[in-house]
Amino acid sequence: MSTIPASLPLRNDLIGEEPYGAPQLDVPVCLNVNENPYAPEPTVCDTIARRVREIAPTLNRYPDREHIELRRAFSTYLERESGVKLDVDELWGANGSNEIMLQLFQAFGGPGRIALGCDPTYSMYPEYARDTFTTWKLAHRNPDFTLNVERTIEAIHEVKPAMVLITSPNNPTGTPLAMDDLRRLLAACETASVTGAPEGVHPVLVVDEAYVEFRNPGTPSAVTLIKDHPNLAVSRTMSKAFAFAGARVGYLAANKGIIDCVRIVRMPYHLSAVTQAAALAAFEHTDEQLSRVAHLRETREATAEWLRAQTYKGQPLEVAESESNFLLFGGHFDDRDRIFEELLKRGILIRVVGPEGWLRVCMGTDEEMARFREAFAQVLRLVEQA
């Protein structure tokens, strides 16, 4: 029940809405928000403390609003991680990739503009659209959660969006996007028109790569296409693989023109000096920060195999193919809320998200995953008897 007084002039379209967010509960095993379960090493913490201490005497002054040193660090990291050298003016940072996405909607959305997504997809996208008065449209994915490229291209030409948002690996399914499919989408965007814009204006294709470091080795990133496609924007984050969710650092890789559009709508001094210092410290320890990624990838594969061996009411569980640090599983749960609640009673927090009949679990430590498997096996048998 809302506690907002009716006398407050809340926007009409926000009346009855609730703040977005997964449950934040104090439980022994938290596997619901796709964090890296491994804390930064003590050497990383020491470097963060040193860098913050160094800039502390300057906190009476505003930070570098263009965060040039941090953008250089993004460039260095992407060259190592994806083999692409981007210029500083092709990169931009913000408070998590959530702020990157909001800035993109602020720059390219708005009244009379349309954004196109492919469901099931990240549940925050329609909220960015709502908050910026952007119309939100969907092109449905295939039953196996792969992108229906033909249907998406048809929608691009039909609805004429200002932005097309593709998540790869997808959230909540973990599904990757093939590079050939990405090229086809880019070609469609480069010829399509945009509702509410003059002739000659074409959609921006946004690829959200929040989980891309968990992809299978050898798989290229969308950032490898930026130099050849001025309408491509790739969103990244340090929250997931980089074990830096609490620091709130996201970044955007794109043509300078797109970066300059985002700079128009950014708040002044939006990245604090403390945030910049902490991020630079983490980049000093890239190896340590990413040291658990391969193990989490192995954990994902082992967990998927285990889940597929489980049954519910006589049927094997389905597990969506994933290249992220989480798994969407089930497919035919007739009471997923009960399964969620029974797991929670046992101290295991996962996520009710995605299409009906499915649940999502992110990868934890070995101990956490052992506790999940033990509890989940018990819960399946219990709920079956209801």
Side-chain angles (χ1 to χ4, degrees), residues 245-289:
R248 310 307 302 126
V249 182
Y251 54 106
L252 178 68
N255 177 272
K256 182 180 184 297
I258 291 177
I259 300 299
D260 284 345
C261 290
V262 168
R263 289 175 63 242
I264 292 173
V265 301
R266 64 104 172 96
M267 297 298 289
Y269 313 110
H270 70 293
L271 268 182
S272 78
V274 172
T275 298
Q276 294 182 46
L280 288 166
F283 277 126
E284 284 189 50
H285 296 273
T286 296
D287 288 338
E288 293 97 315
Q289 292 297 90

mmCIF file of all heavy atoms in Angstrom, residues 245-289:
data_model
loop_
_atom_site.group_PDB
_atom_site.id
_atom_site.type_symbol
_atom_site.label_atom_id
_atom_site.label_comp_id
_atom_site.label_asym_id
_atom_site.label_seq_id
_atom_site.Cartn_x
_atom_site.Cartn_y
_atom_site.Cartn_z
ATOM 1 N N ALA A 245 30.415 -3.855 -7.752
ATOM 2 C CA ALA A 245 29.030 -3.401 -7.770
ATOM 3 C C ALA A 245 28.790 -2.228 -6.819
ATOM 4 O O ALA A 245 28.031 -1.309 -7.128
ATOM 5 C CB ALA A 245 28.090 -4.560 -7.425
ATOM 6 N N GLY A 246 29.435 -2.260 -5.656
ATOM 7 C CA GLY A 246 29.217 -1.201 -4.677
ATOM 8 C C GLY A 246 29.819 0.131 -5.047
ATOM 9 O O GLY A 246 29.442 1.162 -4.479
ATOM 10 N N ALA A 247 30.734 0.144 -5.998
ATOM 11 C CA ALA A 247 31.383 1.393 -6.401
ATOM 12 C C ALA A 247 30.561 2.182 -7.402
ATOM 13 O O ALA A 247 30.757 3.380 -7.554
ATOM 14 C CB ALA A 247 32.760 1.097 -6.995
ATOM 15 N N ARG A 248 29.651 1.500 -8.123
ATOM 16 C CA ARG A 248 28.768 2.128 -9.110
ATOM 17 C C ARG A 248 29.571 2.809 -10.216
ATOM 18 O O ARG A 248 29.639 4.036 -10.312
ATOM 19 C CB ARG A 248 27.813 3.132 -8.455
ATOM 20 C CG ARG A 248 27.042 2.641 -7.251
ATOM 21 C CD ARG A 248 26.281 1.338 -7.512
ATOM 22 N NE ARG A 248 25.328 1.447 -8.606
ATOM 23 C CZ ARG A 248 25.314 0.615 -9.645
ATOM 24 N NH1 ARG A 248 26.195 -0.369 -9.750
ATOM 25 N NH2 ARG A 248 24.430 0.775 -10.601
ATOM 26 N N VAL A 249 30.172 2.017 -11.077
ATOM 27 C CA VAL A 249 30.927 2.540 -12.213
ATOM 28 C C VAL A 249 30.511 1.788 -13.472
ATOM 29 O O VAL A 249 30.702 0.571 -13.571
ATOM 30 C CB VAL A 249 32.449 2.401 -12.011
ATOM 31 C CG1 VAL A 249 33.191 2.999 -13.209
ATOM 32 C CG2 VAL A 249 32.891 3.078 -10.723
ATOM 33 N N GLY A 250 29.930 2.514 -14.413
ATOM 34 C CA GLY A 250 29.620 1.973 -15.732
ATOM 35 C C GLY A 250 30.273 2.841 -16.780
ATOM 36 O O GLY A 250 30.750 3.943 -16.487
ATOM 37 N N TYR A 251 30.311 2.344 -18.018
ATOM 38 C CA TYR A 251 30.921 3.162 -19.067
ATOM 39 C C TYR A 251 30.322 2.832 -20.419
ATOM 40 O O TYR A 251 29.712 1.776 -20.620
ATOM 41 C CB TYR A 251 32.442 3.017 -19.075
ATOM 42 C CG TYR A 251 32.993 1.612 -19.179
ATOM 43 C CD1 TYR A 251 33.564 1.147 -20.360
ATOM 44 C CD2 TYR A 251 32.983 0.764 -18.068
ATOM 45 C CE1 TYR A 251 34.101 -0.129 -20.443
ATOM 46 C CE2 TYR A 251 33.521 -0.508 -18.141
ATOM 47 C CZ TYR A 251 34.071 -0.958 -19.329
ATOM 48 O OH TYR A 251 34.594 -2.224 -19.408
ATOM 49 N N LEU A 252 30.477 3.761 -21.326
ATOM 50 C CA LEU A 252 29.910 3.679 -22.668
ATOM 51 C C LEU A 252 31.027 3.779 -23.684
ATOM 52 O O LEU A 252 31.902 4.644 -23.576
ATOM 53 C CB LEU A 252 28.908 4.821 -22.881
ATOM 54 C CG LEU A 252 28.240 4.912 -24.256
ATOM 55 C CD1 LEU A 252 27.298 3.735 -24.486
ATOM 56 C CD2 LEU A 252 27.467 6.231 -24.374
ATOM 57 N N ALA A 253 31.009 2.888 -24.671
ATOM 58 C CA ALA A 253 31.937 2.942 -25.793
ATOM 59 C C ALA A 253 31.125 3.206 -27.060
ATOM 60 O O ALA A 253 30.162 2.485 -27.341
ATOM 61 C CB ALA A 253 32.699 1.624 -25.912
ATOM 62 N N ALA A 254 31.502 4.231 -27.798
ATOM 63 C CA ALA A 254 30.719 4.622 -28.975
ATOM 64 C C ALA A 254 31.487 5.647 -29.789
ATOM 65 O O ALA A 254 32.516 6.188 -29.347
ATOM 66 C CB ALA A 254 29.366 5.197 -28.553
ATOM 67 N N ASN A 255 30.963 5.927 -30.962
ATOM 68 C CA ASN A 255 31.478 7.012 -31.788
ATOM 69 C C ASN A 255 31.448 8.330 -31.016
ATOM 70 O O ASN A 255 30.577 8.551 -30.177
ATOM 71 C CB ASN A 255 30.603 7.099 -33.048
ATOM 72 C CG ASN A 255 30.985 8.228 -33.964
ATOM 73 O OD1 ASN A 255 30.500 9.340 -33.797
ATOM 74 N ND2 ASN A 255 31.842 7.963 -34.916
ATOM 75 N N LYS A 256 32.397 9.217 -31.312
ATOM 76 C CA LYS A 256 32.472 10.499 -30.599
ATOM 77 C C LYS A 256 31.155 11.273 -30.657
ATOM 78 O O LYS A 256 30.779 11.955 -29.704
ATOM 79 C CB LYS A 256 33.598 11.352 -31.181
ATOM 80 C CG LYS A 256 33.793 12.693 -30.480
ATOM 81 C CD LYS A 256 34.926 13.490 -31.109
ATOM 82 C CE LYS A 256 35.175 14.792 -30.345
ATOM 83 N NZ LYS A 256 34.010 15.701 -30.378
ATOM 84 N N GLY A 257 30.442 11.141 -31.762
ATOM 85 C CA GLY A 257 29.172 11.854 -31.880
ATOM 86 C C GLY A 257 28.170 11.412 -30.836
ATOM 87 O O GLY A 257 27.467 12.246 -30.235
ATOM 88 N N ILE A 258 28.080 10.109 -30.604
ATOM 89 C CA ILE A 258 27.162 9.601 -29.581
ATOM 90 C C ILE A 258 27.613 10.047 -28.192
ATOM 91 O O ILE A 258 26.792 10.467 -27.366
ATOM 92 C CB ILE A 258 27.074 8.067 -29.660
ATOM 93 C CG1 ILE A 258 26.347 7.645 -30.941
ATOM 94 C CG2 ILE A 258 26.371 7.491 -28.424
ATOM 95 C CD1 ILE A 258 26.267 6.157 -31.163
ATOM 96 N N ILE A 259 28.915 9.982 -27.940
ATOM 97 C CA ILE A 259 29.428 10.432 -26.642
ATOM 98 C C ILE A 259 29.081 11.901 -26.410
ATOM 99 O O ILE A 259 28.647 12.290 -25.311
ATOM 100 C CB ILE A 259 30.956 10.228 -26.549
ATOM 101 C CG1 ILE A 259 31.321 8.743 -26.711
ATOM 102 C CG2 ILE A 259 31.490 10.778 -25.227
ATOM 103 C CD1 ILE A 259 30.755 7.821 -25.669
ATOM 104 N N ASP A 260 29.227 12.732 -27.417
ATOM 105 C CA ASP A 260 28.913 14.156 -27.268
ATOM 106 C C ASP A 260 27.420 14.374 -27.024
ATOM 107 O O ASP A 260 27.036 15.312 -26.310
ATOM 108 C CB ASP A 260 29.373 14.929 -28.499
ATOM 109 C CG ASP A 260 30.887 15.148 -28.516
ATOM 110 O OD1 ASP A 260 31.523 14.953 -27.462
ATOM 111 O OD2 ASP A 260 31.424 15.513 -29.577
ATOM 112 N N CYS A 261 26.560 13.521 -27.605
ATOM 113 C CA CYS A 261 25.130 13.620 -27.320
ATOM 114 C C CYS A 261 24.861 13.344 -25.849
ATOM 115 O O CYS A 261 24.069 14.046 -25.202
ATOM 116 C CB CYS A 261 24.350 12.631 -28.184
ATOM 117 S SG CYS A 261 24.292 13.026 -29.950
ATOM 118 N N VAL A 262 25.519 12.332 -25.304
ATOM 119 C CA VAL A 262 25.340 11.974 -23.895
ATOM 120 C C VAL A 262 25.883 13.072 -22.991
ATOM 121 O O VAL A 262 25.305 13.377 -21.938
ATOM 122 C CB VAL A 262 26.017 10.626 -23.609
ATOM 123 C CG1 VAL A 262 26.108 10.359 -22.117
ATOM 124 C CG2 VAL A 262 25.263 9.493 -24.302
ATOM 125 N N ARG A 263 26.971 13.706 -23.402
ATOM 126 C CA ARG A 263 27.558 14.771 -22.591
ATOM 127 C C ARG A 263 26.609 15.952 -22.444
ATOM 128 O O ARG A 263 26.661 16.683 -21.440
ATOM 129 C CB ARG A 263 28.890 15.228 -23.200
ATOM 130 C CG ARG A 263 30.004 14.188 -23.047
ATOM 131 C CD ARG A 263 31.288 14.597 -23.759
ATOM 132 N NE ARG A 263 31.839 15.814 -23.202
ATOM 133 C CZ ARG A 263 31.999 16.948 -23.891
ATOM 134 N NH1 ARG A 263 31.627 17.011 -25.162
ATOM 135 N NH2 ARG A 263 32.514 18.015 -23.306
ATOM 136 N N ILE A 264 25.718 16.147 -23.406
ATOM 137 C CA ILE A 264 24.751 17.249 -23.318
ATOM 138 C C ILE A 264 23.811 17.056 -22.137
ATOM 139 O O ILE A 264 23.452 18.023 -21.450
ATOM 140 C CB ILE A 264 23.945 17.365 -24.635
ATOM 141 C CG1 ILE A 264 24.847 17.839 -25.771
ATOM 142 C CG2 ILE A 264 22.756 18.310 -24.463
ATOM 143 C CD1 ILE A 264 24.184 17.818 -27.136
ATOM 144 N N VAL A 265 23.405 15.802 -21.874
ATOM 145 C CA VAL A 265 22.389 15.558 -20.842
ATOM 146 C C VAL A 265 22.985 15.175 -19.491
ATOM 147 O O VAL A 265 22.247 15.073 -18.504
ATOM 148 C CB VAL A 265 21.394 14.462 -21.291
ATOM 149 C CG1 VAL A 265 20.691 14.872 -22.572
ATOM 150 C CG2 VAL A 265 22.090 13.116 -21.477
ATOM 151 N N ARG A 266 24.296 14.952 -19.414
ATOM 152 C CA ARG A 266 24.869 14.548 -18.129
ATOM 153 C C ARG A 266 24.777 15.681 -17.119
ATOM 154 O O ARG A 266 24.826 16.849 -17.466
ATOM 155 C CB ARG A 266 26.326 14.099 -18.318
ATOM 156 C CG ARG A 266 27.274 15.204 -18.803
ATOM 157 C CD ARG A 266 28.146 15.728 -17.684
ATOM 158 N NE ARG A 266 29.158 16.641 -18.183
ATOM 159 C CZ ARG A 266 29.032 17.969 -18.186
ATOM 160 N NH1 ARG A 266 27.915 18.526 -17.763
ATOM 161 N NH2 ARG A 266 30.024 18.742 -18.616
ATOM 162 N N MET A 267 24.601 15.321 -15.850
ATOM 163 C CA MET A 267 24.622 16.319 -14.800
ATOM 164 C C MET A 267 26.063 16.787 -14.597
ATOM 165 O O MET A 267 27.009 16.013 -14.776
ATOM 166 C CB MET A 267 24.087 15.736 -13.497
ATOM 167 C CG MET A 267 22.634 15.299 -13.573
ATOM 168 S SD MET A 267 21.502 16.659 -13.939
ATOM 169 C CE MET A 267 21.574 17.557 -12.397
ATOM 170 N N PRO A 268 26.276 18.048 -14.224
ATOM 171 C CA PRO A 268 27.650 18.513 -14.007
ATOM 172 C C PRO A 268 28.301 17.764 -12.846
ATOM 173 O O PRO A 268 27.666 17.517 -11.819
ATOM 174 C CB PRO A 268 27.476 20.000 -13.692
ATOM 175 C CG PRO A 268 26.062 20.148 -13.243
ATOM 176 C CD PRO A 268 25.292 19.110 -13.986
ATOM 177 N N TYR A 269 29.553 17.370 -13.062
ATOM 178 C CA TYR A 269 30.323 16.671 -12.015
ATOM 179 C C TYR A 269 29.588 15.415 -11.522
ATOM 180 O O TYR A 269 29.520 15.150 -10.327
ATOM 181 C CB TYR A 269 30.601 17.624 -10.839
ATOM 182 C CG TYR A 269 31.103 18.971 -11.263
ATOM 183 C CD1 TYR A 269 30.303 20.114 -11.136
ATOM 184 C CD2 TYR A 269 32.379 19.133 -11.810
ATOM 185 C CE1 TYR A 269 30.763 21.352 -11.535
ATOM 186 C CE2 TYR A 269 32.843 20.374 -12.210
ATOM 187 C CZ TYR A 269 32.029 21.486 -12.085
ATOM 188 O OH TYR A 269 32.478 22.708 -12.473
ATOM 189 N N HIS A 270 29.050 14.651 -12.460
ATOM 190 C CA HIS A 270 28.213 13.511 -12.073
ATOM 191 C C HIS A 270 29.019 12.369 -11.479
ATOM 192 O O HIS A 270 28.462 11.565 -10.720
ATOM 193 C CB HIS A 270 27.409 13.007 -13.281
ATOM 194 C CG HIS A 270 28.241 12.335 -14.341
ATOM 195 N ND1 HIS A 270 29.163 13.019 -15.097
ATOM 196 C CD2 HIS A 270 28.283 11.049 -14.762
ATOM 197 C CE1 HIS A 270 29.737 12.178 -15.952
ATOM 198 N NE2 HIS A 270 29.231 10.973 -15.774
ATOM 199 N N LEU A 271 30.320 12.290 -11.773
ATOM 200 C CA LEU A 271 31.174 11.247 -11.198
ATOM 201 C C LEU A 271 32.049 11.862 -10.108
ATOM 202 O O LEU A 271 32.909 12.680 -10.404
ATOM 203 C CB LEU A 271 32.058 10.613 -12.278
ATOM 204 C CG LEU A 271 31.541 9.382 -12.999
ATOM 205 C CD1 LEU A 271 32.587 8.892 -13.999
ATOM 206 C CD2 LEU A 271 31.183 8.272 -12.041
ATOM 207 N N SER A 272 31.831 11.453 -8.871
ATOM 208 C CA SER A 272 32.573 12.060 -7.776
ATOM 209 C C SER A 272 34.062 11.728 -7.864
ATOM 210 O O SER A 272 34.470 10.740 -8.494
ATOM 211 C CB SER A 272 32.028 11.575 -6.431
ATOM 212 O OG SER A 272 32.489 10.270 -6.142
ATOM 213 N N ALA A 273 34.874 12.549 -7.219
ATOM 214 C CA ALA A 273 36.315 12.293 -7.169
ATOM 215 C C ALA A 273 36.610 10.971 -6.474
ATOM 216 O O ALA A 273 37.543 10.252 -6.856
ATOM 217 C CB ALA A 273 37.016 13.442 -6.439
ATOM 218 N N VAL A 274 35.801 10.616 -5.473
ATOM 219 C CA VAL A 274 35.996 9.350 -4.758
ATOM 220 C C VAL A 274 35.710 8.173 -5.685
ATOM 221 O O VAL A 274 36.457 7.186 -5.723
ATOM 222 C CB VAL A 274 35.106 9.297 -3.507
ATOM 223 C CG1 VAL A 274 35.162 7.919 -2.862
ATOM 224 C CG2 VAL A 274 35.522 10.374 -2.507
ATOM 225 N N THR A 275 34.629 8.268 -6.453
ATOM 226 C CA THR A 275 34.298 7.204 -7.412
ATOM 227 C C THR A 275 35.410 7.031 -8.436
ATOM 228 O O THR A 275 35.828 5.903 -8.744
ATOM 229 C CB THR A 275 32.979 7.530 -8.129
ATOM 230 O OG1 THR A 275 31.917 7.597 -7.170
ATOM 231 C CG2 THR A 275 32.644 6.464 -9.172
ATOM 232 N N GLN A 276 35.905 8.143 -8.966
ATOM 233 C CA GLN A 276 36.971 8.066 -9.966
ATOM 234 C C GLN A 276 38.235 7.442 -9.369
ATOM 235 O O GLN A 276 38.889 6.599 -10.000
ATOM 236 C CB GLN A 276 37.264 9.459 -10.523
ATOM 237 C CG GLN A 276 36.111 10.043 -11.332
ATOM 238 C CD GLN A 276 36.428 11.409 -11.910
ATOM 239 O OE1 GLN A 276 37.505 11.623 -12.476
ATOM 240 N NE2 GLN A 276 35.503 12.355 -11.775
ATOM 241 N N ALA A 277 38.573 7.840 -8.148
ATOM 242 C CA ALA A 277 39.773 7.300 -7.504
ATOM 243 C C ALA A 277 39.639 5.795 -7.272
ATOM 244 O O ALA A 277 40.584 5.022 -7.513
ATOM 245 C CB ALA A 277 40.027 8.023 -6.185
ATOM 246 N N ALA A 278 38.471 5.356 -6.813
ATOM 247 C CA ALA A 278 38.264 3.938 -6.544
ATOM 248 C C ALA A 278 38.342 3.119 -7.833
ATOM 249 O O ALA A 278 38.937 2.032 -7.863
ATOM 250 C CB ALA A 278 36.918 3.725 -5.860
ATOM 251 N N ALA A 279 37.756 3.636 -8.911
ATOM 252 C CA ALA A 279 37.784 2.917 -10.183
ATOM 253 C C ALA A 279 39.202 2.810 -10.724
ATOM 254 O O ALA A 279 39.619 1.752 -11.222
ATOM 255 C CB ALA A 279 36.877 3.614 -11.189
ATOM 256 N N LEU A 280 39.958 3.883 -10.635
ATOM 257 C CA LEU A 280 41.348 3.843 -11.092
ATOM 258 C C LEU A 280 42.166 2.845 -10.277
ATOM 259 O O LEU A 280 43.027 2.135 -10.819
ATOM 260 C CB LEU A 280 41.960 5.240 -11.010
ATOM 261 C CG LEU A 280 41.441 6.242 -12.054
ATOM 262 C CD1 LEU A 280 41.846 7.664 -11.681
ATOM 263 C CD2 LEU A 280 41.959 5.879 -13.448
ATOM 264 N N ALA A 281 41.885 2.764 -8.984
ATOM 265 C CA ALA A 281 42.571 1.787 -8.148
ATOM 266 C C ALA A 281 42.254 0.366 -8.592
ATOM 267 O O ALA A 281 43.134 -0.499 -8.657
ATOM 268 C CB ALA A 281 42.179 1.987 -6.683
ATOM 269 N N ALA A 282 40.986 0.116 -8.912
ATOM 270 C CA ALA A 282 40.596 -1.222 -9.352
ATOM 271 C C ALA A 282 41.287 -1.595 -10.659
ATOM 272 O O ALA A 282 41.726 -2.742 -10.833
ATOM 273 C CB ALA A 282 39.081 -1.290 -9.515
ATOM 274 N N PHE A 283 41.415 -0.627 -11.568
ATOM 275 C CA PHE A 283 42.088 -0.912 -12.841
ATOM 276 C C PHE A 283 43.583 -1.189 -12.645
ATOM 277 O O PHE A 283 44.200 -1.847 -13.479
ATOM 278 C CB PHE A 283 41.877 0.229 -13.826
ATOM 279 C CG PHE A 283 40.567 0.161 -14.562
ATOM 280 C CD1 PHE A 283 39.683 1.232 -14.556
ATOM 281 C CD2 PHE A 283 40.210 -0.974 -15.280
ATOM 282 C CE1 PHE A 283 38.483 1.174 -15.239
ATOM 283 C CE2 PHE A 283 39.011 -1.052 -15.968
ATOM 284 C CZ PHE A 283 38.138 0.025 -15.941
ATOM 285 N N GLU A 284 44.161 -0.690 -11.554
ATOM 286 C CA GLU A 284 45.543 -1.053 -11.243
ATOM 287 C C GLU A 284 45.677 -2.543 -10.941
ATOM 288 O O GLU A 284 46.781 -3.098 -11.003
ATOM 289 C CB GLU A 284 46.041 -0.254 -10.031
ATOM 290 C CG GLU A 284 46.393 1.191 -10.315
ATOM 291 C CD GLU A 284 47.070 1.834 -9.115
ATOM 292 O OE1 GLU A 284 48.043 1.229 -8.590
ATOM 293 O OE2 GLU A 284 46.617 2.913 -8.692
ATOM 294 N N HIS A 285 44.560 -3.179 -10.601
ATOM 295 C CA HIS A 285 44.559 -4.586 -10.209
ATOM 296 C C HIS A 285 43.591 -5.386 -11.080
ATOM 297 O O HIS A 285 42.831 -6.224 -10.582
ATOM 298 C CB HIS A 285 44.165 -4.716 -8.734
ATOM 299 C CG HIS A 285 45.134 -4.085 -7.785
ATOM 300 N ND1 HIS A 285 46.238 -4.747 -7.281
ATOM 301 C CD2 HIS A 285 45.164 -2.826 -7.254
ATOM 302 C CE1 HIS A 285 46.897 -3.929 -6.469
ATOM 303 N NE2 HIS A 285 46.267 -2.763 -6.434
ATOM 304 N N THR A 286 43.632 -5.142 -12.370
ATOM 305 C CA THR A 286 42.700 -5.819 -13.277
ATOM 306 C C THR A 286 42.775 -7.333 -13.146
ATOM 307 O O THR A 286 41.751 -8.022 -13.109
ATOM 308 C CB THR A 286 42.972 -5.387 -14.728
ATOM 309 O OG1 THR A 286 42.708 -3.979 -14.850
ATOM 310 C CG2 THR A 286 42.089 -6.148 -15.701
ATOM 311 N N ASP A 287 43.986 -7.872 -13.078
ATOM 312 C CA ASP A 287 44.127 -9.327 -12.976
ATOM 313 C C ASP A 287 43.423 -9.864 -11.734
ATOM 314 O O ASP A 287 42.703 -10.873 -11.801
ATOM 315 C CB ASP A 287 45.605 -9.726 -12.944
ATOM 316 C CG ASP A 287 46.288 -9.547 -14.285
ATOM 317 O OD1 ASP A 287 45.576 -9.532 -15.306
ATOM 318 O OD2 ASP A 287 47.525 -9.413 -14.313
ATOM 319 N N GLU A 288 43.641 -9.214 -10.593
ATOM 320 C CA GLU A 288 43.016 -9.679 -9.362
ATOM 321 C C GLU A 288 41.490 -9.563 -9.431
ATOM 322 O O GLU A 288 40.763 -10.466 -9.007
ATOM 323 C CB GLU A 288 43.526 -8.888 -8.157
ATOM 324 C CG GLU A 288 45.007 -9.118 -7.836
ATOM 325 C CD GLU A 288 45.874 -8.023 -8.432
ATOM 326 O OE1 GLU A 288 45.659 -7.656 -9.610
ATOM 327 O OE2 GLU A 288 46.773 -7.541 -7.715
ATOM 328 N N GLN A 289 41.019 -8.438 -9.987
ATOM 329 C CA GLN A 289 39.573 -8.212 -10.042
ATOM 330 C C GLN A 289 38.863 -9.223 -10.934
ATOM 331 O O GLN A 289 37.707 -9.563 -10.696
ATOM 332 C CB GLN A 289 39.281 -6.791 -10.526
ATOM 333 C CG GLN A 289 39.678 -5.696 -9.552
ATOM 334 C CD GLN A 289 38.909 -5.776 -8.246
ATOM 335 O OE1 GLN A 289 39.329 -6.428 -7.308
ATOM 336 N NE2 GLN A 289 37.766 -5.123 -8.182
#
